[in-house]
Amino acid sequence: MQPTATVLVYSDDASTREQVRLAAGRRPAADVPPVEFLECATLPAVLKALAERRVDVCVLDGETAPAGGMGVCRQIKDEVFDCPPVLLLIGRPQDAWLATWSRAEAAVTHPLDPVAFADALAALLRVRPAVRA
């Protein structure tokens, strides 16, 4: 059996979570494993998922309320041992400095460009390869 990568998607907006799934597809690049998505709409759900499961990449929506993806990113980088890389969805290109402040490894603007998103996700999956079948 081929390994799969788990991608946690955090957004309070179901349509944003769907856009992430559609942009990534089943495999964002030929040289990375297929992905399975773990969707979370609240900060407690994110923290529980990170405590209980291996997550290979987190995709966090910077526009989520009340706990925005940038603050969540900074929090998990401080609190989660072996925190997975984070791809942050930002509202404007000018917000890239906030993504840097939050310690995200990558950022893409919303609305999602499927090619740019898949490329960024694949790059992070290459950094943290899936280890299970």
Side-chain angles (χ1 to χ4, degrees):
M1 180 119 191
Q2 171 172 331
T4 60
T6 300
V7 176
L8 182 145
V9 182
Y10 168 62
S11 178
D12 63 345
D13 185 344
S15 66
T16 298
R17 295 191 307 266
E18 180 182 28
Q19 288 173 26
V20 166
R21 286 192 322 272
L22 293 173
R26 297 184 73 188
R27 177 179 275 183
D31 64 332
V32 299
V35 295
E36 64 178 36
F37 295 97
L38 176 60
E39 296 186 33
C40 298
T42 65
L43 175 57
V46 170
L47 298 176
K48 182 176 186 210
L50 289 171
E52 295 177 356
R53 298 187 57 177
R54 177 182 163 88
V55 172
D56 298 295
V57 174
C58 293
V59 177
L60 308 178
D61 181 2
E63 303 300 314
T64 296
M70 293 181 205
V72 170
C73 180
R74 188 147 175 113
Q75 180 178 347
I76 66 175
K77 291 294 182 178
D78 285 341
E79 296 176 2
V80 175
F81 175 74
D82 195 26
C83 185
V86 173
L87 173 55
L88 197 55
L89 307 180
I90 57 177
R92 318 171 297 151
Q94 297 88 341
D95 293 335
W97 74 272
L98 288 168
T100 300
W101 168 85
S102 70
R103 297 190 294 212
E105 282 77 7
V108 295
T109 57
H110 193 70
L112 295 181
D113 171 352
V115 173
F117 178 80
D119 288 346
L121 180 59
L124 295 180
L125 288 169
R126 290 181 194 107
V127 170
R128 186 175 170 118
V131 295
R132 69 192 174 290

